[in-house]
């Protein structure tokens, strides 16, 4: 689709949260296990990014899943995972980030490195100005 001079790829159910700007350079690729984060340099490429927490892929999953998000401006950001009772399971990101598109791989472990149980989990992206959350399902 074409909107406001930009090219968008429509994903999912035709709602705003599923629109993603695809810059002319390639999107970051997923990098192996637990801590990878990728960023396109927004300032260098002139690309503007919205604040979005994308659906994790795959979902449901067994061994690992990719969580992608984008930030419109430099900010302190946290990306954390909670179980259904609201207990903090894992902190994936807790630092300042530049504007851009990021990917984090979660391997289904808690902050102590233990595999978590099968079930529903929530992941929350939070900055000083914004907060989004989504749910995911781990199967054994």
């Amino acid at each position: 689709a074409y909107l406001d001079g930009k090219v968008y790829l429509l994903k999912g159910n035709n709602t705003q949260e599923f629109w993603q700007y695809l810059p002319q350079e390639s999107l970051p690729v997923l990098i192996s296990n637990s801590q990878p984060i990728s960023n396109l340099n927004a300032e260098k490429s002139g690309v503007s990014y919205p604040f979005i927490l994308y659906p994790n892929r795959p979902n449901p999953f067994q061994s690992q899943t990719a969580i992608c998000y984008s930030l419109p401006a430099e900010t302190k950001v946290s990306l954390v995972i909670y179980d259904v009772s609201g207990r903090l399971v894992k902190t994936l990101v807790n630092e300042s980030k530049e504007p851009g598109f990021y990917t984090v791989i979660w391997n289904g472990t808690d902050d102590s490195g233990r595999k978590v149980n099968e079930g529903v989990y929530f992941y929350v992206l939070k900055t000083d100005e914004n907060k989004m959350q989504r749910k995911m399902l781990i199967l054994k």
Side-chain angles (χ1 to χ4, degrees):
Y2 185 81
L3 179 67
D4 298 326
K6 297 178 182 172
V7 176
Y8 291 84
L9 173 63
L10 182 61
K11 293 182 172 183
N13 63 1
N14 198 24
T15 60
Q16 183 76 18
E17 66 185 349
F18 289 101
W19 288 71
Q20 176 182 355
Y21 176 66
L22 297 175
Q24 291 188 1
E25 55 191 291
S26 62
L27 290 174
V29 294
L30 303 180
I31 309 170
S32 68
N33 298 328
S34 63
Q35 295 289 348
I37 297 173
S38 303
N39 180 21
L40 292 175
N41 188 330
E43 291 177 13
K44 182 178 172 187
S45 65
V47 174
S48 62
Y49 292 90
F51 178 83
I52 294 183
L53 178 59
Y54 296 92
N56 63 300
R57 296 287 184 245
N59 190 22
F61 69 99
Q62 291 182 337
S63 61
Q64 68 179 21
T65 190
I67 300 171
C68 298
Y69 63 95
S70 62
L71 302 170
E74 183 174 351
T75 187
K76 174 115 169 86
V77 63
S78 69
L79 178 61
V80 295
I81 297 172
Y82 297 96
D83 64 17
V84 291
S85 67
R87 182 181 64 88
L88 176 66
V89 173
K90 179 86 171 187
T91 300
L92 296 171
V93 177
N94 188 23
E95 60 187 305
S96 290
K97 296 283 185 186
E98 293 181 11
F101 180 90
Y102 294 87
T103 300
V104 179
I105 304 298
W106 183 45
N107 61 3
T109 61
D110 64 14
D111 278 330
S112 300
R114 295 180 300 247
K115 284 285 189 186
V116 299
N117 294 326
E118 177 177 273
V120 175
Y121 291 83
F122 297 92
Y123 55 110
V124 178
L125 179 67
K126 189 170 148 182
T127 67
D128 290 337
E129 300 82 24
N130 297 293
K131 178 179 175 183
M132 287 186 81
Q133 100 177 15
R134 293 188 176 272
K135 69 179 175 182
M136 61 184 148
L137 178 62
I138 298 177
L139 302 175
K140 295 293 175 175

